[in-house]
Amino acid sequence: MEIKIKYFTDKIEKLCYIDGKSDWIDLRAAEDIELKAGEFKLIPLGIAMQLPKGYEAHIVPRSSTFKNFGIIQTNSMGVVDETYCGDNDQWFMPAYALRDAKISTNDRICQFRIVEHQPVISFSEQEILGNKDRGGHGSTGTK
């Protein structure tokens, strides 16, 4: 699959898909950012893309983002659909600083993957599902 990409700066490394390593692709800060604890900022990621019809990008922090920078992504996971594809539709990471943070241009701060849209679904209400109970709340397995 080929995806058209526009870079807003030449100060970040070009995106690279590493086959066999991970299907998540790192995104980088496109400028130097300083945040004080409690501040919010949309961090520019320096790219815009034209995703294929029927696909969207899921953007999440890297596992080391909080440890390295003290920021969290305010929406937990960002979704960019294929309609956000204009020449000025730069991707951003909405960040909240839990401690003073300094992020340098080209630092890897989040990651994304391309996902097909969910198929059309309908719900069928049932009194009994007929499956074994796992117990607990969600996937924790404990009450």
Side-chain angles (χ1 to χ4, degrees):
M1 177 182 299
E2 184 175 280
I3 296 175
K4 293 179 182 178
I5 185 167
K6 175 185 176 181
Y7 289 93
F8 289 85
T9 178
D10 60 359
K11 295 178 181 175
I12 60 172
E13 288 184 33
K14 305 281 189 210
L15 294 189
C16 179
Y17 178 77
I18 304 171
D19 192 26
K21 183 177 181 216
S22 172
D23 55 358
W24 290 87
I25 301 166
D26 289 337
L27 293 167
R28 299 168 181 275
E31 62 185 47
D32 292 341
I33 302 289
E34 287 196 35
L35 292 165
K36 297 290 183 198
E39 287 184 332
F40 168 83
K41 179 159 180 71
L42 289 172
I43 301 175
L45 301 173
I47 60 161
M49 284 189 217
Q50 183 179 334
L51 299 174
K53 184 173 172 54
Y55 286 83
E56 62 196 26
H58 293 181
I59 303 170
V60 299
R62 298 182 75 241
S63 60
S64 61
T65 297
F66 179 75
K67 177 182 67 87
N68 290 341
F69 305 107
I71 61 172
I72 58 173
Q73 186 171 330
T74 59
N75 56 353
S76 300
M77 180 184 89
V79 177
V80 176
D81 69 28
E82 79 270 17
T83 65
Y84 192 70
C85 61
D87 281 332
N88 294 305
D89 289 340
Q90 180 173 196
W91 292 14
F92 291 84
M93 177 188 180
Y96 181 78
L98 294 171
R99 64 177 188 257
D100 290 356
K102 182 177 181 186
I103 301 161
S104 299
T105 301
N106 206 42
D107 280 345
R108 297 179 300 164
I109 58 170
C110 55
Q111 58 191 336
F112 80 100
R113 69 183 304 184
I114 306 297
V115 180
E116 251 184 301
H117 287 290
Q118 177 170 280
V120 175
I121 60 172
S122 63
F123 295 96
S124 170
E125 188 174 340
Q126 305 291 313
E127 291 292 324
I128 298 172
L129 296 176
N131 301 310
K132 179 180 175 186
D133 291 337
R134 293 185 51 215
H137 305 326
S139 63
T140 62
T142 60
K143 292 184 181 185

